[in-house]
Amino acid sequence: MQIVDNSVASFHYTLTDDSGQVLDSSEGREPLTYLHGTGQIVPGLEKAMAGRVAGDQFKVDVAPAEGYGVHHAELVQAVPREAFQGVDDIQPGMQFQAHGPQGPVHVTVTKVDGETVHIDGNHPLAGQTLHFDIQVTEVREASADELAHGHVHGPGGHEH
């Protein structure tokens, strides 16, 4: 069976950056399982998965616009330390949820400079080309429940 919209696909992956550094991998874990055509993985990878079958192995480079987005400079800000009430030790790499004009925004602390905290609201991989090494392990039809709920059930998926 080929990967098509509303099918369930499982795959192993290794994600690297431009320098070849491994950013994430399913090695030593269960394969990633998702409902195809529902936006559960980055768009560029989902497009590359279409039409594949169990056993396929391939590499795909996903541009920022089809991955975690381009880097938006306006999402990088310096805010006063007092904005982090109740947090005594603010360190680079810490992540917080802030409230923006369009709702919640996840931000990462990039630098702490005295009473100023520098934050970035971009996804940590925004602006980067994503290099995937993929091995498709299984493709099957989605169940009626999975389609109704919009996600995979059972192994590799959601348990109710």
Side-chain angles (χ1 to χ4, degrees):
M1 176 177 180
Q2 289 187 328
I3 298 174
V4 295
D5 284 354
N6 296 322
S7 64
V8 173
S10 299
F11 64 97
H12 279 292
Y13 67 94
T14 298
L15 169 62
T16 57
D17 62 14
D18 286 336
S19 68
Q21 179 182 342
V22 175
L23 302 174
D24 193 13
S25 175
S26 64
E27 186 176 333
R29 301 184 308 205
E30 291 294 316
L32 179 65
T33 301
Y34 76 103
L35 182 60
H36 190 79
T38 60
Q40 296 177 350
I41 59 175
V42 295
L45 180 56
E46 189 165 57
K47 287 178 185 175
M49 295 290 285
R52 304 290 181 159
V53 298
D56 281 358
Q57 293 184 9
F58 63 98
K59 294 179 186 232
V60 62
D61 298 330
V62 176
E66 292 283 309
Y68 290 102
V70 296
H71 189 270
H72 296 282
E74 65 273 14
L75 296 178
V76 178
Q77 299 177 2
V79 297
R81 182 185 284 272
E82 62 206 32
F84 296 86
Q85 293 178 8
V87 183
D88 295 330
D89 186 27
I90 303 171
Q91 297 292 324
M94 293 176 86
Q95 295 184 332
F96 296 92
Q97 184 172 315
H99 299 286
Q102 278 81 35
V105 178
H106 294 280
V107 298
T108 302
V109 175
T110 57
K111 183 170 99 174
V112 179
D113 187 17
E115 292 302 308
T116 303
V117 178
H118 300 265
I119 60 171
D120 188 344
N122 288 287
H123 185 282
L125 297 177
Q128 294 188 41
T129 298
L130 308 173
H131 306 279
F132 286 98
D133 190 350
I134 302 293
Q135 178 186 5
V136 180
T137 58
E138 182 183 4
V139 181
R140 65 174 175 79
E141 290 184 24
S143 70
D145 278 348
E146 289 171 327
L147 293 173
H149 294 175
H151 58 250
V152 178
H153 294 170
H158 185 77
E159 299 291 339
H160 285 278

